[in-house]
Amino acid sequence: MIKTINMWTEKENKLHRQFTFKDFPEAFSFMTRVAFEAEKMNHHPQWTNVWNKVDIWLQTHDAGDVVTEKDRELARKIDALKA
């Protein structure tokens, strides 16, 4: 089952969203801001970056690799960083 939460998609026990930026420095800057928020929560995403695109997947490993409220909270914080 696939559910869409705002712009995040929940599939196979992961939240996923792709972000697109003007260029690589903008994408990398975004990743740095996300890294600081994730570290504060001790909740680290799986992600990839290719030039101006950043894909992020969230799931809680301590809960058995499923989506939890902790993932949704980090997703909201990530969305606020993109806004």
Side-chain angles (χ1 to χ4, degrees):
M1 176 180 182
I2 300 174
K3 292 193 304 186
T4 301
I5 302 167
N6 293 330
M7 299 292 290
W8 290 85
T9 301
E10 184 173 341
K11 181 180 177 186
E12 297 176 5
N13 294 319
K14 292 181 184 181
L15 284 180
H16 172 261
R17 182 169 178 189
Q18 183 177 81
F19 297 87
T20 303
F21 299 90
K22 179 181 75 171
D23 54 24
F24 177 74
E26 195 175 288
F28 193 84
S29 175
F30 170 73
M31 290 176 69
T32 301
R33 293 190 310 273
V34 170
F36 282 108
E37 287 300 319
E39 184 63 20
K40 286 181 200 172
M41 293 180 65
N42 193 31
H43 192 52
H44 306 98
Q46 174 185 344
W47 57 14
T48 61
N49 165 239
V50 177
W51 188 58
N52 71 333
K53 295 193 184 330
V54 176
D55 281 274
I56 301 177
W57 294 267
L58 301 173
Q59 67 180 172
T60 303
H61 305 294
D62 295 345
D65 295 326
V66 296
V67 175
T68 67
E69 184 53 35
K70 194 172 187 178
D71 302 298
R72 289 181 178 85
E73 180 182 348
L74 183 53
R76 287 189 292 273
K77 289 181 180 196
I78 291 169
D79 286 344
L81 291 172
K82 175 64 167 118

